[in-house]
Amino acid sequence: MVAMTCGRDFRAGLNPLAPITIESGMMLAMSHLESTDRYAPAFTDGADTSLIKKALEGDRHAFERLYRRHSGRVHAVILRLVGHDRARAEDLTQDTFVRLWQKLGEFRFESAFSTWLHRMAVNIALMSLRGEAPMAAEGDSDDALADLPMPEHIRPDQRIDLEVLIAKLPARARSVLVLHDVEGWKHEEIGQELGIAVGSSKAHLHRARQLLAKWFGA
Amino acid sequence: MNELEYRRLLKKLPDRIEPERDLWAGINQKLGPAPARRHHERLFPFAMAASLLTAMLFGGWLLMRVQPIGAPELAETSVRSTVPALWRERQALELESVAAWQQISPDDERSLMVSAGPQVYAAWQELDGAETELEAALKSAPQAGFLLTRLKHVELEKLKLARLALNA
């Protein structure tokens, strides 16, 4: 085991001075890395506020500008959660903005609009995933995860694409990993959203990372 | 892959991935009428009015419980501050009254009032009866400040009446 200090800028909200310990050649669970939404500003910016107020009065042009400003981020998280199923992600992105139009009147200007919208997008994507076969039945158990083979179309000599490997993770492990490591959610928030215990969320994250490490090492 | 490499790859993931096709046309088709305002925003004035009314009713009810009509001095704080002073005043009145009446027997007192005229006598009877009742009430509720106030008032009136009868 090698103890070393490294930069900790990949996630907002970390103490950059605190040393971390990593094991040589393999990833740690990193469950000690508490996180926050790395993209979201603390408050709704002026442009969003103005567009939201206009949209609330029925101005569709203003709503279209909101869509143009936020569709990229919304689509990115949905795409990752549904395992890069592009057609499905596009449908869900569309659903998210239709729902946003319906629920816009419920937005309080006390928080960041992008965070609020992002949560709505995550909810819609997770609801869609729940509509499939139950997540746990799809190979999220300990044994099933341990035995998951390297995705067939990725050869060991191929350039490593984390995005592709994340998409190959089982649904629940993928959801936890995307929300925690990519989106910066806390385990408490993930547990609440997925209806699982905090411990389960941590366990899923640990297994997902182990699996990625295994595939990368293959 | 170690942790550092994993972090490096995570950092490279794009924040935004635009949909391959423009989704706006489809979204625009599905939009209904203007988004509804928050319910609580519309109901805010009514909620405020209801809250004020409730607070006023509750306050009134509380006030009536603390200070029943006709017995305003029953409030504990009021009793604590006024009762000792009232007792002292009453004792002073009693001393004055005793000094004034000590040489007069009850029969003489009655005779004096009768001699002062029927109106004075009737008033004296009223006051004497009230004094008797108030003293009896004070025996059962010695902390009732409002009874002491009434008694003080009756005794003052009796004293005035006695002076009037003596001067008549």
Side-chain angles (χ1 to χ4, degrees):
Chain A
M1 181 181 282
V2 180
M4 60 181 290
T5 305
C6 64
R8 310 188 99 196
D9 57 343
F10 98 104
R11 182 78 53 235
L14 296 179
N15 174 6
L17 300 175
I20 59 169
T21 304
I22 62 169
E23 275 184 54
S24 175
M26 63 178 288
M27 282 191 300
L28 281 179
M30 294 196 292
S31 57
H32 60 288
L33 301 180
E34 285 307 333
S35 50
T36 55
D37 189 339
R38 66 169 169 165
Y39 305 122
F43 302 101
T44 303
D45 68 32
D48 275 350
T49 303
S50 164
L51 291 173
I52 293 164
K53 285 180 177 169
K54 284 180 185 169
L56 280 169
E57 289 162 7
D59 184 342
R60 291 189 181 207
H61 181 64
F63 189 70
E64 183 184 354
R65 288 180 62 197
L66 272 179
Y67 162 75
R68 304 274 173 221
R69 282 169 65 86
H70 295 279
S71 60
R73 271 205 65 202
V74 166
H75 188 64
V77 68
I78 291 176
L79 191 64
R80 286 178 183 129
L81 286 171
V82 299
H84 272 258
D85 180 340
R86 290 201 172 269
R88 188 179 184 183
E90 285 177 359
D91 286 347
L92 293 172
T93 302
Q94 205 169 52
D95 290 349
T96 301
F97 281 92
V98 173
R99 179 81 64 85
L100 173 66
W101 174 261
Q102 293 162 352
K103 300 278 181 186
L104 199 56
E106 291 174 16
F107 175 66
R108 297 176 183 183
F109 291 85
E110 300 152 359
S111 58
F113 173 71
S114 59
T115 305
W116 186 71
L117 172 60
H118 216 63
R119 285 213 168 242
M120 193 183 284
V122 168
N123 263 320
I124 287 171
L126 292 178
M127 271 174 62
S128 168
L129 289 173
R130 277 189 213 113
E132 296 177 340
M135 286 184 179
E138 179 192 333
D140 272 359
S141 67
D142 289 357
D143 293 342
L145 278 177
D147 295 339
L148 266 178
M150 178 77 169
E152 282 176 8
H153 67 283
I154 300 172
R155 299 186 312 275
D157 58 333
Q158 195 175 6
R159 189 181 68 83
I160 292 170
D161 186 344
L162 182 62
E163 199 89 78
V164 172
L165 290 184
I166 289 173
K168 298 298 169 191
L169 287 168
R172 180 157 287 176
R174 184 176 65 235
S175 301
V176 173
L177 185 124
V178 167
L179 292 177
H180 190 276
D181 283 359
V182 183
E183 297 299 321
W185 286 31
K186 293 178 179 174
H187 282 294
E188 289 77 9
E189 297 170 304
I190 296 168
Q192 213 169 7
E193 196 66 51
L194 292 176
I196 58 174
V198 170
S200 297
S201 173
K202 288 179 180 175
H204 278 296
L205 182 64
H206 179 69
R207 289 172 203 140
R209 285 170 174 170
Q210 278 188 326
L211 205 53
L212 287 179
K214 179 181 155 189
W215 289 345
F216 269 103
Chain B
M1 178 182 65
N2 63 26
E3 185 180 329
L4 286 177
E5 194 178 354
Y6 178 61
R7 289 180 176 202
R8 187 179 55 77
L9 290 170
L10 272 179
K11 274 183 76 172
K12 281 187 177 175
L13 293 179
D15 292 352
R16 301 174 63 91
I17 303 173
E18 296 298 336
E20 286 183 349
R21 61 189 173 93
D22 189 359
L23 305 176
W24 173 247
I27 293 169
N28 195 24
Q29 270 187 345
K30 290 183 182 175
L31 298 184
R37 292 261 178 190
R38 288 198 300 267
H39 284 298
H40 68 262
E41 202 170 80
R42 283 180 299 182
L43 296 176
F44 183 74
F46 300 103
M48 277 295 289
S51 301
L52 273 173
L53 186 64
T54 308
M56 282 168 65
L57 288 173
F58 180 72
W61 174 80
L62 208 62
L63 206 64
M64 284 175 71
R65 270 179 64 93
V66 172
Q67 292 188 324
I69 293 167
E73 297 85 353
L74 262 181
E76 197 182 347
T77 51
S78 170
V79 168
R80 275 197 199 128
S81 58
T82 57
V83 165
L86 286 168
W87 272 112
R88 280 195 297 274
E89 281 183 37
R90 183 167 181 264
Q91 280 173 340
L93 274 169
E94 270 187 344
L95 287 172
E96 193 180 345
S97 183
V98 167
W101 294 98
Q102 63 184 351
Q103 293 174 353
I104 303 175
S105 66
D107 288 339
D108 288 340
E109 185 184 353
R110 186 173 289 105
S111 303
L112 178 67
M113 293 303 167
V114 170
S115 66
Q119 283 183 327
V120 173
Y121 181 63
W124 177 82
Q125 278 186 312
E126 283 285 329
L127 288 170
D128 198 50
E131 187 183 28
T132 308
E133 283 181 16
L134 284 167
E135 281 174 338
L138 266 171
K139 275 181 189 170
S140 56
Q143 290 300 308
F146 71 100
L147 290 176
L148 273 173
T149 309
R150 298 281 188 282
L151 187 60
K152 187 183 82 175
H153 179 73
V154 168
E155 286 175 345
L156 274 171
E157 290 304 309
K158 274 186 83 176
L159 205 59
K160 282 182 196 169
L161 208 59
R163 287 182 185 136
L164 188 71
L166 284 169
N167 294 331

